[in-house]
Every structure is written in structure tokens, then in C-alpha cells.
Amino acid sequence: MAGYLKWDELVRIFWGKVPLEKEIPANILAGTTVGLRRREIKPDAKKVRVTIDGQTIEVPEGTLIIEAAKMLGIDIPHFCYHPRLEPVGVCRQCLVEVGTPRRNPDGTIATDENGNPIIQWMPKPQPSCTMTVSDGMVVKVKSEGAEAARRAVMEFLLINHPLDCPVCDRGGECPLQNAAFVQGRPYSRFTEQKRTFIKPVAISQHIALDRERCIMCKRCIRFCDEIVGEKQLEQVERGWHSYIAVAEGEELDNIFSGNVIDICPVGALTNLHYRFAARPWELKRTETVCPKCSINCSIFADCRFNHPVRFVPAGENLRVNDLWMCDIGRFEQKHPHIEHRLVTPLMRINGELQEIGWQKALDNLVNLFSASHLTSPAEFVSIGNAAMTNEEAYLFQRFARSVVGSGSIDFFGRDPLVSELVQRGGKVGLGVDVYALQKADCVLLLGCNIYRHLPIAWLWILQAVKKRNAKLIVVGVTEDKPRMKRWAWKWIEELGAVSWGLDKFAQLLADAIDGAINEEVARSLGVELRTISEIADALKQAERPVVICASSDDPQPVSPETVLNLRRKLVKPDWDAVCYALHHANERGCMEAGLTLDYLPGLRRIGDEAMWLVLQRLWNDGTPPQRGYDAKTAMQAAKEGKLQVAWVIDPSPVYELPEEVIDAFAQVPNLIVSASMKTKLAEKAWLVLPDLTFYEKNGSYTNWAGTVQIVRRAFEPPSGARSLARVLMALSERLGKPMSYPTPKAVLSELENLRALSGLVRK
Amino acid sequence: MSVFRDELLKEAESIIAQYPQRKAAIMPLLWLVQEQLGYIPHDAIVEIAELTGTTPVHVEAVVKFYEMFHDHPVGKCQLMLCTNVSCLLRGADKTLQKLKEVLGIDVGETTPDGLFTLEEVECLAACDKAPVLLVNAMELYENVTPDKVEQIIAELRQRCANSGNQNES
């Protein structure tokens, strides 16, 4: 079977660390040690030998001294150097002594009487972050001269720094504090008055700037300019008066602005939402993923007193987000306070929701589900949401299909167009890693504003445009125009007033790739023929084309047929990036876990008999149930009063259900709602089961590109709230058809096997 | 565009055309605005950013970097007194005190009649004749001891008044 993986391999891929070298070809992203600059080094780059503090290493030509030292495990203190930014050498903290071998007039290396090369030392210490290595170079990091130079620099840096560490948010995790502790003086010789500023200044609604603490490393300026491509920060004034500022009347409002807080080596840029919220050593740090969009960035959820206080990128994730995350995930995640949480099941008795406790709640559920009539599709629907973990989704559909025997399964956030695409033989999402998007050479965005909805995908596409001169074509996007348009090679904002205009345009383009342009359609869309043929040629010639199409959550969608058509023409054996934009966190995971009406786990059709044989073995049961309702038809049935029992999982606080859904399901007499707090839907329920919030769950998420990442519990849930998986397993046991899995990992491995069986695991 | 229009816009375009990169025209355009208006208003900064294909904050940083550019209205005569080491040793602090008294303003302020702006600057490279006073970035007064201040101010006031008359006539 295509793509079948052995068990060991599966475990290694999903539970072990995947070796980097296998994922990203060395010629594209060089740098072998964590924390090194990822930039292009030619595969045939000459190797040079450099000796640092007595240790010799061979590195490619063009490597910086500071990087070569890092490979040897020697840390040179630095502030302005950052592995992802171009070196500038402004802080001077990384000074080292550098010597090169003396050469004879004929170019050979001069040697002394013992045959050792004679080293000529540079008269002054050199910044190791801007100087590249050369063959035979000798570097002293821990010598007296180099250390004296660095100590002097540190003293200069501290002259105007307020040293208010006890009240600074950065205190405890501050590179300047650490460096000062290691090599600074225990007392200050500076008795004059320090330079002062008004502080703090809010440079956006999320970020505060404290200009006194700033050491002018320019990391924030360079980040905005080099990575985000929007020069919004600058150093103004001169000499010791200089400070960082945004333009008068403007804000630092790009969508990646929060990253400047992380890369600031002092406490000059701080998070306004985290201001004075905690000290770093009080935080419990958990690596998990961000549930705000389908990119699923690796993040650290930093919690204090069982409440998340901030979210920061979790170091280097070279399949998804590298070191960055967007402001939506960083600043716009809300977590309910413990007071607002549900801690015991509620049941509607005499028209009022009353606390009944888990025992009674389960009893009532058992009574309800043991009634045989529930197997008729009209009776019972189970509807999850796209914020559920893969494990919950898998268990939820198994519960419905095998324990209750109902085929009415769906989740809120599922895109009907994506389902249709799959039905026609397409794929759910991106076929390459999100991080690999920066290798693209021609990118077509059809009606989807990924700047807002898939920010990290935009970031990588922008890198492709900036660094590899990829051609960017944006069609039918009106929001965020000033940010996107300047990078676009072709920008087509408005198409003629035709229904499904965007789709017609895409279809036109698909035909144009084959060399046939329908002039009439082009005229009705108001697009020049030349433009279309140029775009088509660019896509045709591209080795790694990317086409991201608007789905039904966007203002104007592209039809599945067209997506498929484009994909057929543009897909390459090792590059498959023609797909719909998914808008919800685990939309792909829920689809692949089988939480849909028409698909079994592994995206097998519901009528796939071979799959049912496998499932019957796995589940000890499972006769294919009748086809039932999906979310949309279930809403209709509920409004018409045809639905008796519905089990709905409320996705808040990750996202809110629309009013119409709440109104429709309020009509169901026996409405079971799993919710973490008393949401609008929960208030309409017959039975409310306290659920866990995202940050209390253990499990996994599958992102837009199919990368499976682990979701970890960041803090203990309130006693009384139970995970959905636990409730489902307890119920199934009471109903005589036990589903038992010792850990979420056991669920995932079963699901992974099923996905692998269907060729969904990408090697 | 409110600042760059008609003639000025044409001139700006011709200045930009002289350089291989539009960005290189930032400084000449700033001079152009300052010649016309006496200072560089924020609107002009935004417009120059647009004309040169960069961001307002970048142009603002250039304006603030150079002392010679003014981002707020200044007097007809800008008095820049050096208070660097050489001048200070020769009594620049006393000269500054005297200037403040005579003009009735503090450093960085403009007299109510809009004639004088007083500024403190770094070395003007004429240490052998310290203390020195630079007027309108053009004219250098040397050995400015406190007793010379009143005379210099009177002279400048006279000249400003004359030049004002000339403009009117």
C-alpha cells in the first residue's frame, strides 16, 4: 500500500525528534547546529580550518567566528547578533582576539623553526559576529585582552541602563542581566547622572517601550525590516541621545510585532498584557501548539497559578514556525478564569439547570444511549469542533459509530468545499511543510488573505519573495493591501461583477497553463489577456509553485473542481502545494480522524468495506451505521423538530459558535453540551458536561500541512472538569462496548496506523 | 499631496531622477522643504517617504539625526553655540548664560518675535578661536566672550529686520 510505514518508523516520526538534515536540504538552509544562522551556503563552499581557544574545527567558508565558536560549544557573549538576522556589529559585546597566519611573498604560510605557522595578531580586538573565518585563523575568546575588552564594553552598555531589574519584566531571563552577572563589575564607577526618558511608551496596543533600558542593538529594527519587510521602527537622534521610535502618529502594528519582545536582549520592549504579571522563575513552561489557526505554531504556554499568562514561540521548529509566531496567537488568546469554569455536570430539571454530579450525569447518559431507537439517523447526532484534538475526534466518532451505532457525525469548522475536494480525489491541505513554503518560486494567492488568517504561511512566502525573488500573484484580496501589495508581482484586486468570479479566473488560468485562453471570460472579468498568459507562464515554469485558494470561510471561494484542475497541472513529484486555505486549528486533524459524515479515519470513504473490516477488528464491533446528518442538515432538522438527541462539543474559548447554530440546537429536546464554561449553547442544554480547555488537554493536532504535533497539558484542570476522552471511555464501558486506551498516545498510535494505511503519512 | 504640489513636485521629481535609487533623494528633498517652509512638517516627512519608496519612520530618523534639519518652526536666526570641551574651557558656559539673558529664552527655544532660536551644539571645528557661535549654519563668530554678545545680537537683529524689509518690498 502506498506510503505504508512500519510501526517503529511511525513512533520515531511522531514521538521522536526528526533529524533536521532529512527534512531540509543542506544547500537551501545551511547551519547544522541549533541556533545558527540559516542562510544560503553553496554546497561546494570551501572548508576552512579555524582554531578557537585551542580547539580546531572545519567549517564552510563564510561562517562567522561567533557561529564557529558555537559549534565548538564556546559561547561568546553577544546582544546585537541574532541567528536569523544579518550581522551589524553594533553592540561590540562579542569582541575577541583574532590572528591569521603570516604569509611569505610567494603565498605560502610562514613557519617558525619548529614548523608551526607564525600568527599575526590583529592590533585591536574584533567583533566575532561580523568577521567571517579564514583558513588557519586563530581566535582567542577567553584571553586576558579579549575579556578586558568585553568587560569594558559591558561597563559602557551599563552606563545609561537603569539597572531596574527588580521591577523589570525581563529580570530573570534577561541576556543583559546574565552577561552583566558573568562579566560585569560588582559596582559602578559611573557617578554622573544617567540619561533619562519618559517611560514606558506604548508603541502599539500590545507593546511597551522603555527607552532607558535600550542598549541600541537594533534587533527590533532589523527584525521588522528584514523578516517582516515593514520598516516601522527606527533609531532616531544621535549618539547617546538616540532611541528607538515608531513614526509620529503610527503604531508598530504589523502582525508579527510581538516577536520584537522575544528578541530584545534587555527589557526595553515588553508585553503590555504580561506587564508585572509574573516573574520568569514562577512560570511553569509547557511546550504545546497554538490553536488560533491551522498553522499550529509550536509555543510555550507560560502559566502561573494554573492560568496562562503569556505565549511565546517554543524555540526552533523547522517544520512550522521556526522562531516566530503571530500577534493573534500571542496576544489574542483568552482563557477563562477558574471562577467562570464549569466544575460539575448540570442537568435541566423543571426548566432549570441544576448541579447533579458526574455519577448522576453518567447514569442519565447510559439510560439515554441504551435506548435502541437512537441508531436511527434521525435520532442522534454528534457534532464536534475543529479545536478538538485528534484523539478526542477519533474517540468521539468511534463512540458514535461503534458504541451508539449512529452515522450522524460532523464538526463545526469543517469546510464543505474541502470535503467536496476530497470526494473528487483531492487532498485536504498543503502537501509540503509550512516552513518549506520559503522555497517556493511562484506563489498565487486566490482570494485568501493569508496575512490575516495564516500569518506564518505569509511570513515564509514573504521570505521566498524577498530572498529568492519568488513571483507573488495576489488575486481578489482587499484587506491589508498596503502590507501585501508592495511584494506582489501581479496584484489583481477586483474582478468583474460575475458570480464565482474568482473561480472563473482560476479556471481561466488553468486553461491558460495549457495555452488556451477564453477571451470572452477574460473580458467579462476585466483582466488583460497578457496578464493572464504571463501568470500562467510563471506558474508553468515554476519548479515549486504554490497556489492557496479561498475556501468557504473567505469572502469569495474557489470551487473544488478548479482547485483540482490547477493541482493536476502544477503538482510536481516532490512538491505539492496547491490547496485550500484552512481556517481552523485542527480542521485537517478532525477530518483525518474520521469526524465527518462521509469519511472514516484515514479519510477512507464511509462505504469502504476493507476499512470497515479493519475497524471491526480494532473496535471489536462496528457495523456500518446508516448515513445521517452533517452539521448543516442537522441544524435544519433541529429547527424542524426532527432531532431528538444531539451531543455538541462547544469550542469556546478557542472560537465561538455562530448564533444560528446556537438557536438551531436549542430546539433539540435532549441536547448534551460539553463545554468548559457556561456558554450560550450550554445555557440551552439538557445536560452540560464540564470539559477541559485547550491548555488542559493532552493529545495532538494536525496542522494545515499535515504535521502532527503534540498538545500538552499546561496546567491542571479544575477538579470536576473531565476530559471528553475520559467521559467517552467511561460511558462506553457502562454501555457494554468498552473503548479503552491507557493514554492519549495509544489513541494517536491507533489513528496513525489508520492514517498510514491510507497513505496519509508524509515521509 | 499637500506640501509637494505643482512646481515643488516637479522639482522633487527632477531631484529624484538624478539618483540611481529613489531613496538617495531623501536629503535633497528635505533641504528643498526646509528652504521653502523654514522647517520640515510631519506631512512633508510622510510625503517624502512616499516619493522615495520608504517608510515615514526612516525619513523621520534622518531628520532627527542631523541637527541642521528642523522638525518644528524655528527663528530666522539660528544661533548655535559650541559647548564642547575647548569652548567650555574658554568660557562658553558664561557666553551661553549671557545669550540666554539677552534673548530671554532657554536653549532650544525661539524668541516670541520669531527672530532667534538658541541651540547648544557639539564641536564646530574652530577650537583655536573658541568659544564660537555659528549663525544659520553659514556664518561663524569667533572668540565670543560674554561682553560681545549684546553687540552681535543687535547686529543680527538689525540684519534680520532689513532682510525682512527686503522680502516685503
Side-chain angles (χ1 to χ4, degrees):
Chain A
M1 239 172 246
Y4 183 80
L5 283 179
K6 287 208 180 77
W7 176 248
D8 294 2
E9 271 181 299
L10 268 176
V11 171
R12 188 181 59 77
I13 287 174
F14 290 101
W15 296 99
K17 282 275 177 198
V18 185
L20 275 183
E21 293 74 15
K22 279 198 175 171
E23 297 299 321
I24 294 133
N27 58 341
I28 288 184
L29 300 155
T32 47
T33 318
V34 168
L36 292 187
R37 194 148 63 106
R38 310 215 162 263
R39 58 173 177 172
E40 284 184 50
I41 287 188
K42 291 186 192 100
D44 56 346
K46 214 178 97 190
K47 294 268 179 162
V48 293
R49 289 167 72 82
V50 53
T51 307
I52 303 173
D53 277 357
Q55 300 180 59
T56 303
I57 188 172
E58 203 166 71
V59 291
E61 210 170 21
T63 308
L64 301 171
I65 296 176
I66 199 168
E67 292 174 343
K70 202 160 203 169
M71 289 180 199
L72 285 168
I74 299 167
D75 273 326
I76 302 175
H78 60 268
F79 298 117
C80 71
Y81 165 82
H82 188 278
R84 300 297 184 271
L85 302 173
E86 287 301 312
V88 287
V90 293
C91 78
R92 318 307 282 184
Q93 186 60 81
C94 62
L95 293 177
V96 291
E97 285 187 281
V98 180
T100 45
R102 177 186 293 170
R103 293 194 182 262
N104 293 323
D106 60 353
T108 54
I109 291 172
T111 51
D112 58 12
E113 58 270 21
N114 298 329
N116 295 324
I118 302 168
I119 301 298
Q120 276 184 313
W121 292 96
M122 293 188 188
K124 288 181 184 175
Q126 300 295 318
S128 61
C129 73
T130 49
M131 184 168 265
T132 53
V133 294
S134 65
D135 205 18
M137 185 184 266
V138 182
V139 179
K140 284 188 203 164
V141 177
K142 294 197 177 76
S143 72
E144 210 171 291
E147 281 185 344
R150 291 201 299 268
R151 272 201 304 276
V153 169
M154 173 54 72
E155 195 171 3
F156 272 124
L157 288 178
L158 292 183
I159 278 184
N160 278 318
H161 188 82
L163 291 168
D164 56 350
C165 310
V167 294
C168 175
D169 277 342
R170 204 71 205 260
E173 52 175 11
C174 173
L176 182 69
Q177 196 182 30
N178 294 348
F181 197 78
V182 172
Q183 56 180 16
R185 283 170 183 276
Y187 60 91
S188 172
R189 294 192 295 176
F190 188 75
T191 52
E192 290 79 2
Q193 194 148 22
K194 292 193 183 221
R195 168 208 59 179
T196 54
F197 282 114
I198 291 169
K199 69 174 195 175
V201 190
I203 54 170
S204 80
Q205 50 178 333
H206 305 301
I207 301 169
L209 169 66
D210 183 322
R211 292 170 292 181
E212 288 176 5
R213 292 178 189 152
C214 178
I215 57 165
M216 289 293 150
C217 71
K218 297 199 192 182
R219 273 187 185 182
C220 49
I221 299 176
R222 286 144 66 210
F223 173 79
C224 289
D225 188 21
E226 290 170 23
I227 310 266
V228 187
E230 294 174 40
K231 200 166 191 171
Q232 290 189 308
L233 288 171
E234 255 299 357
Q235 177 180 353
V236 296
E237 295 285 357
R238 217 155 28 105
W240 64 274
H241 304 280
S242 54
Y243 57 90
I244 304 292
V246 285
E248 202 182 311
E250 283 189 14
E251 280 192 354
L252 178 63
D253 55 359
N254 70 66
I255 205 156
F256 303 102
S257 69
N259 293 300
V260 300
I261 301 168
D262 299 334
I263 60 173
C264 181
V266 295
L269 291 160
T270 47
N271 183 337
L272 275 172
H273 308 278
Y274 170 70
R275 201 168 170 74
F276 307 135
R279 311 296 346 235
W281 55 86
E282 300 170 326
L283 297 175
K284 182 174 172 277
R285 175 162 272 194
T286 313
E287 186 178 346
T288 180
V289 303
C290 169
K292 282 305 245 192
C293 76
S294 65
I295 299 280
N296 294 356
C297 297
S298 286
I299 58 164
F300 284 133
D302 284 345
C303 304
R304 182 178 187 243
F305 300 148
N306 276 356
H307 194 84
V309 287
R310 68 168 179 186
F311 304 100
V312 292
E316 210 170 48
N317 183 341
L318 294 183
R319 296 189 69 169
V320 185
N321 60 327
D322 194 11
L323 299 179
W324 319 119
M325 73 184 285
C326 71
D327 286 359
I328 299 171
R330 190 190 294 265
F331 299 124
E332 291 176 20
Q333 293 197 54
K334 301 274 177 286
H335 193 267
H337 192 265
I338 183 89
E339 285 173 15
H340 305 297
R341 294 291 300 278
L342 287 170
V343 288
T344 180
L346 307 174
M347 194 168 144
R348 194 167 297 279
I349 301 168
N350 302 329
E352 289 279 313
L353 279 176
Q354 292 180 13
E355 297 189 352
I356 54 164
W358 276 104
Q359 193 59 41
K360 268 193 184 163
L362 284 182
D363 287 345
N364 275 301
L365 283 174
V366 169
N367 286 341
L368 186 74
F369 286 120
S370 33
S372 56
H373 60 90
L374 282 187
T375 49
S376 126
E379 292 292 336
F380 175 62
V381 296
S382 26
I383 300 192
N385 61 62
M388 290 165 88
T389 60
N390 290 336
E391 292 73 9
E392 284 175 328
Y394 180 74
L395 286 179
F396 198 44
Q397 63 87 28
R398 179 179 163 182
F399 180 80
R401 286 197 168 116
S402 108
V403 180
V404 184
S406 149
S408 303
I409 298 160
D410 204 351
F411 65 95
F412 296 122
R414 180 178 66 87
D415 194 323
L417 291 179
V418 177
S419 304
E420 206 184 319
L421 180 74
V422 175
Q423 205 151 8
R424 288 165 184 265
K427 292 194 171 175
V428 183
L430 201 61
V432 294
D433 281 345
V434 177
Y435 187 68
L437 283 178
Q438 55 186 319
K439 292 191 274 180
D441 49 9
C442 184
V443 182
L444 170 64
L445 304 179
L446 280 172
C448 178
N449 179 6
I450 60 167
Y451 181 87
R452 198 60 53 183
H453 301 305
L454 297 167
I456 290 292
W458 166 255
L459 191 69
W460 297 140
I461 287 171
L462 182 67
Q463 305 310 308
V465 174
K466 278 177 63 131
K467 294 179 184 156
R468 321 179 64 80
N469 294 323
K471 286 176 174 167
L472 175 66
I473 307 133
V474 185
V475 184
V477 176
T478 46
E479 305 167 276
D480 296 307
K481 182 177 165 187
R483 299 177 189 284
M484 296 170 87
K485 192 176 176 181
R486 54 184 289 229
W487 302 109
W489 172 59
K490 301 275 179 205
W491 178 274
I492 303 170
E493 196 170 316
E494 277 181 30
L495 296 167
V498 188
S499 67
W500 285 81
L502 197 65
D503 184 49
K504 291 224 172 73
F505 177 85
Q507 199 61 51
L508 198 65
L509 213 53
D511 293 341
I513 291 173
D514 289 342
I517 303 181
N518 186 335
E519 289 182 24
E520 203 179 311
V521 178
R523 218 171 297 126
S524 71
L525 290 170
V527 190
E528 278 180 45
L529 290 181
R530 205 167 59 91
T531 315
I532 293 191
S533 58
E534 271 176 19
I535 298 174
D537 283 348
L539 281 170
K540 202 168 156 184
Q541 283 157 16
E543 281 171 33
R544 292 183 287 270
V546 175
V547 182
I548 300 173
C549 304
S551 56
S552 38
D553 290 315
D554 292 302
Q556 206 181 3
V558 179
S559 75
E561 201 179 339
T562 316
V563 177
L564 213 57
N565 203 355
L566 277 170
R567 184 171 174 271
R568 216 174 288 130
K569 282 169 187 159
L570 296 174
V571 74
K572 305 279 181 301
D574 57 345
W575 187 267
D576 171 11
V578 182
C579 63
Y580 271 125
L582 302 183
H583 287 247
H584 293 292
N586 198 21
E587 210 174 318
R588 180 166 181 166
C590 285
M591 286 202 67
E592 292 183 355
L595 195 63
T596 49
L597 181 64
D598 290 321
Y599 294 97
L600 294 172
L603 279 185
R604 289 295 186 107
R605 295 272 166 88
I606 189 79
D608 190 325
E609 285 174 15
M611 196 61 171
W612 273 112
L613 282 176
V614 176
L615 291 181
Q616 275 161 1
R617 280 286 297 280
L618 272 176
W619 296 352
N620 296 323
D621 180 46
T623 32
Q626 269 180 281
R627 199 171 180 281
Y629 295 120
D630 65 8
K632 211 171 172 186
T633 49
M635 267 167 65
Q636 194 57 37
K639 269 188 213 155
E640 288 165 9
K642 287 185 195 159
L643 215 55
Q644 291 309 307
V645 186
W647 190 338
V648 179
I649 319 292
D650 196 311
S652 21
V654 178
Y655 62 98
E656 304 294 328
L657 290 177
E659 287 288 330
E660 43 171 358
V661 171
I662 296 168
D663 291 343
F665 281 96
Q667 311 293 323
V668 180
N670 287 338
L671 175 66
I672 308 159
V673 175
S674 290
S676 55
M677 41 187 188
K678 213 165 178 184
T679 57
K680 279 180 192 162
L681 186 68
E683 276 166 10
K684 305 275 168 60
W686 164 70
L687 187 67
V688 185
L689 302 172
D691 197 4
L692 304 186
T693 59
F694 172 77
Y695 288 102
E696 293 159 356
K697 287 175 185 174
N698 273 315
S700 67
Y701 261 30
T702 307
N703 78 355
W704 181 41
T707 311
V708 179
Q709 297 183 97
I710 307 305
V711 171
R712 290 187 186 83
R713 175 174 285 183
F715 47 86
E716 289 303 311
S719 62
R722 285 191 192 178
S723 78
L724 182 68
R726 198 172 147 197
V727 176
L728 290 170
M729 286 195 277
L731 256 182
S732 63
E733 200 163 326
R734 299 262 314 257
L735 289 167
K737 291 176 182 172
M739 317 191 283
S740 80
Y741 299 90
T743 55
K745 208 165 149 180
V747 185
L748 182 65
S749 34
E750 189 172 305
L751 175 58
E752 283 308 332
N753 273 337
L754 292 171
R755 284 178 73 220
L757 212 62
S758 311
L760 287 178
V761 177
R762 198 174 67 247
K763 276 201 185 182
Chain B
M1 293 209 170
S2 59
V3 178
F4 285 95
R5 50 169 193 251
D6 312 330
E7 288 296 301
L8 206 57
L9 186 62
K10 260 183 217 157
E11 203 173 337
E13 289 295 349
S14 76
I15 289 174
I16 292 168
Q18 292 170 15
Y19 297 94
Q21 288 184 356
R22 295 180 82 84
K23 235 179 177 177
I26 293 177
M27 301 258 296
L29 291 181
L30 287 172
W31 279 122
L32 190 66
V33 174
Q34 190 153 307
E35 267 171 31
Q36 297 285 326
L37 306 175
Y39 76 108
I40 299 158
H42 183 67
D43 292 352
I45 288 179
V46 175
E47 284 170 27
I48 290 174
E50 211 170 298
L51 283 169
T52 55
T54 174
T55 50
V57 72
H58 187 73
V59 181
E60 209 176 291
V62 174
V63 172
K64 290 198 173 156
F65 184 87
Y66 294 103
E67 303 274 344
M68 294 75 102
F69 290 131
H70 304 287
D71 55 359
H72 50 86
V74 289
K76 270 187 181 167
C77 264
Q78 292 144 40
L79 309 175
M80 298 180 183
L81 183 74
C82 168
T83 50
N84 227 311
V85 180
S86 308
C87 288
L88 205 58
L89 286 172
R90 301 258 297 160
D93 51 340
K94 293 192 187 85
T95 309
L96 184 67
Q97 196 55 41
K98 185 74 182 173
L99 272 169
K100 284 186 196 169
E101 276 168 27
V102 172
L103 295 169
I105 52 172
D106 209 345
V107 175
E109 290 176 359
T110 305
T111 48
D113 56 4
L115 282 185
F116 295 102
T117 301
L118 182 59
E119 278 171 43
E120 218 180 321
V121 295
E122 304 300 322
C123 188
L124 292 168
C127 304
D128 55 330
K129 310 201 176 65
V132 289
L133 175 71
L134 187 68
V135 178
N136 278 349
M138 306 282 279
E139 204 175 336
L140 194 69
Y141 286 80
E142 294 156 352
N143 294 319
V144 192
T145 44
D147 52 305
K148 288 188 188 168
V149 166
E150 275 182 42
Q151 190 202 333
I152 292 172
I153 295 296
E155 197 185 312
L156 288 172
R157 201 184 293 273
Q158 183 69 31
R159 207 190 304 163
C160 282
N162 287 343
S163 73
N165 290 341
Q166 275 168 18
N167 282 352
E168 278 164 26
S169 60

